Amino acid sequence: MRYYVIGITDSPTPYFLPEVQALIRQGKVFSGGKRHHDIVGPQLPADAQWIDITVPLSHVFEQYSAHFATHNSQPIIVFASGDPLFFGFANTLQRRFPEAEITVYPTFNSLQMLAHRLVIPYHDMRIVSLTGRPWPEFDSALIEGASKIGVLTDREHTPAAIAQRMIEYGYNDYQMNVGEHLGNPELEKVTTLTLEEAVNREFKHPNCLILARINTVFDNNANHKGSVLDRGCVNPCLKHNHQHLTRPFGIPDSDFTILDGREKMITKMPIRLLTLQALELRQKTVFWDIGFCTGSVSIEARLQFPHLQICAFEIRPECEAIIQENARRFGAPGIDIHIGDFLETDLSALPCPDAVFIGGHGGHLKEIMAKVLTVMSDQGCIVMNSVKAPLVKTDSHQLWDEACEELALKQAPPTRIVIDEYHPIKILKCKK
């Protein structure tokens, strides 16, 4: 099985190296998207066979396999956008046909072309693809404070939708540069504008964008030959008071919106940090926060460990608005919120956790831990904070010990801590 994967831009008259031109002249079977066929169709041999790349890809791969079953020595020539190894189709071929021989002839990818138009160095740019992908990687780049973020978009994750998400979570200190139909001299357009302006704009697809922090914006007044340049705001710093969100190591308790003004319904900041330490989150990938209440633990984890997938559970419906408000206040997008009784929640579609914090159990600690164990990875751990107040009948530490014994869990030595006038807290941890 041999594939030649040729990268092209949106130019209606693509230029190919002599070696590639020879491959095309000698080729019999070609493949690519409809847009690619529209561009290269005039250069294909008269008897060329074309295999459309459409979803589901399994149908495309069946056609590839059928071709090689009868014409094993005849390669398939695939046309792809930009650099086929940059979130491209060559990667897909490698995963699906690891034994195949693949030769790649790349051209500039869209983000490279946009950086060239803007004369922006891109060697230190954080790259995120939202093409058919969810938000987590983009959210992580924001939380980590990347100074330049290159984003591949799709029809759902548009520049306007991206700008709206950034404004919602307080990341409004970026300038947005959008490139549309890059490589097509008739349709290409490069626009530089603020996030507030981008929210109300419509951009033609395909497009991509480069986000630059205001304090690192480059002088873009270069000559953009061959492109239409629209500067919505030449110097956004003069129009808006941009303040970049920081990641404090421990958010003050008083900064959170809390449930019914009840100060004791939040895990205190020193306890939060010790809890995150016990959960070993730097080495984990999926964190579950059961009984999130204000969301303080989930939000602290999101800011300190942006790589995590976080699922937060709470039985009280009024807490959904509270965690959402706090997440927006501290710039913590991407927390997956679930409202309802955890014991009745369907977990089948959720990522399996390797770290679990039980912030509330309503007297059903053993049942909650047992359900967690049905999905938790073998390397996972469970952490809970136990407090013994004089007027509280139920000793949560005792319930914990009983649950660990019955479920054959190995406990770590507890950590005991006292804060101000509050009752002593024990941080409890167990593993399989």
Side-chain angles (χ1 to χ4, degrees), residues 136-328:
E137 284 300 319
F138 178 72
D139 293 341
S140 295
L142 290 179
I143 294 170
E144 292 169 11
S147 60
K148 282 179 288 186
I149 308 174
V151 185
L152 300 175
T153 65
D154 61 17
R155 297 186 186 276
E156 177 183 352
H157 302 91
T158 63
I162 292 167
Q164 181 61 51
R165 187 175 184 85
M166 295 175 71
I167 292 172
E168 180 181 356
Y169 287 95
Y171 293 95
N172 66 338
D173 62 334
Y174 283 84
Q175 176 176 283
M176 180 178 283
N177 305 280
V178 183
E180 306 166 72
H181 285 287
L182 294 172
N184 187 321
E186 296 181 1
L187 299 177
E188 178 177 298
K189 184 177 181 181
V190 176
T191 311
T192 299
L193 65 172
T194 66
L195 299 181
E196 292 84 354
E197 292 164 333
V199 167
N200 299 312
R201 291 280 191 99
E202 290 187 7
F203 299 89
K204 293 181 180 179
H205 193 81
N207 58 62
C208 65
L209 57 92
I210 294 177
L211 296 162
R213 286 265 294 280
I214 296 301
N215 61 354
T216 56
V217 169
F218 295 89
D219 179 8
N220 295 341
N221 294 319
N223 177 27
H224 295 267
K225 184 177 180 181
S227 67
V228 177
L229 187 62
D230 173 15
R231 300 197 181 282
C233 176
V234 176
N235 189 348
C237 294
L238 298 179
K239 288 184 63 177
H240 300 276
N241 180 21
H242 294 278
Q243 183 176 0
H244 183 67
L245 288 170
T246 59
R247 283 196 291 158
F249 186 65
I251 303 170
D253 301 334
S254 59
D255 288 354
F256 283 94
T257 295
I258 57 179
L259 178 64
D260 299 330
R262 298 154 65 185
E263 295 182 1
K264 293 185 178 180
M265 296 299 291
I266 182 173
T267 303
K268 298 297 179 288
M269 186 258 285
I271 304 297
R272 280 200 306 276
L273 298 182
L274 285 173
T275 298
L276 299 184
Q277 183 276 331
L279 287 161
E280 307 172 29
L281 294 181
R282 194 169 301 282
Q283 292 78 40
K284 307 301 184 181
T285 57
V286 180
F287 169 50
W288 284 11
D289 180 5
I290 302 174
F292 64 73
C293 193
T294 64
S296 63
V297 173
S298 287
I299 290 169
E300 196 84 67
R302 188 79 182 103
L303 296 180
Q304 298 304 327
F305 307 97
H307 70 281
L308 284 175
Q309 295 184 65
I310 300 179
C311 296
F313 304 85
E314 175 57 56
I315 195 170
R316 290 166 290 202
E318 61 268 31
C319 290
E320 183 172 13
I322 294 174
I323 190 174
Q324 289 176 341
E325 180 180 343
N326 286 325
R328 287 192 293 268

Side-chain angles (χ1 to χ4, degrees), residues 402-418:
E402 293 172 357
C404 288
E405 182 177 359
E406 184 171 326
L407 299 172
L409 296 170
K410 182 180 179 181
Q411 294 196 55
T415 299
R416 185 178 185 274
I417 184 171
V418 178

Side-chain angles (χ1 to χ4, degrees), residues 82-83 86 108-115 152 182 207-208:
D83 182 348
F86 182 77
F108 290 119
N109 66 60
S110 58
L111 287 175
Q112 287 176 311
M113 294 174 68
L114 181 55
L152 300 175
L182 294 172
N207 58 62
C208 65

